[in-house]
């Protein structure tokens, strides 16, 4: 899946599931959209469905530094690359 395809899917999830309005790639998810830790857990589950494999505990811990949609995209690309190795 290309980065553009990932972006399209993540933005759709944020709009449809988390009721974001016009999310920008560099918006701070928490400050600009009220995204909290429960939302983050739900999003990780959606990401697992999207990529087709479970994210390890160690990989989930790395998600704690995510602040923007660009961070989400970087995160997904990183874990996908690790699972291809």
């Amino acid at each position: 899946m290309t980065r553009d395809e990932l972006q399209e899917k993540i933005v759709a999830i944020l709009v449809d599931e988390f009721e974001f309005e016009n999310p920008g790639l560099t918006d701070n998810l928490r400050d600009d959209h009220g995204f909290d830790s429960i939302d983050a857990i739900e999003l990780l589950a959606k990401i697992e469905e999207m990529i087709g494999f479970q994210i390890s505990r160690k990989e989930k811990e790395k998600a704690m530094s995510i602040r923007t949609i660009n961070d989400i995209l970087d995160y997904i690309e990183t874990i996908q690359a690790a699972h291809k190795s």
Side-chain angles (χ1 to χ4, degrees):
M1 197 175 315
T2 68
R3 188 173 180 96
D4 287 340
E5 292 168 330
L6 286 174
Q7 177 181 323
E8 186 176 312
K9 289 180 183 262
I10 291 299
V11 169
I13 289 169
L14 293 172
V15 169
D16 297 340
E17 304 288 330
F18 299 97
E19 301 177 358
F20 280 30
E21 292 185 23
N22 302 314
L25 296 179
T26 59
D27 291 359
N28 184 298
L29 300 174
R30 184 185 66 219
D31 295 343
D32 297 333
H33 300 284
F35 200 76
D36 62 23
S37 58
I38 293 172
D39 293 332
I41 292 167
E42 291 176 21
L43 179 60
L44 283 173
K46 297 278 183 197
I47 290 171
E48 286 178 330
E49 288 175 27
M50 186 176 69
I51 60 178
F53 58 84
Q54 277 200 296
I55 301 169
S56 71
R57 182 175 181 85
K58 187 175 183 179
E59 289 167 332
K60 286 179 181 176
E61 288 172 2
K62 291 178 182 177
M64 299 303 291
S65 64
I66 290 174
R67 298 289 176 261
T68 69
I69 293 173
N70 274 332
D71 291 345
I72 295 170
L73 300 174
D74 292 343
Y75 173 76
I76 294 170
E77 289 177 332
T78 299
I79 60 175
Q80 282 183 318
H83 283 260
K84 287 181 183 175
S85 304

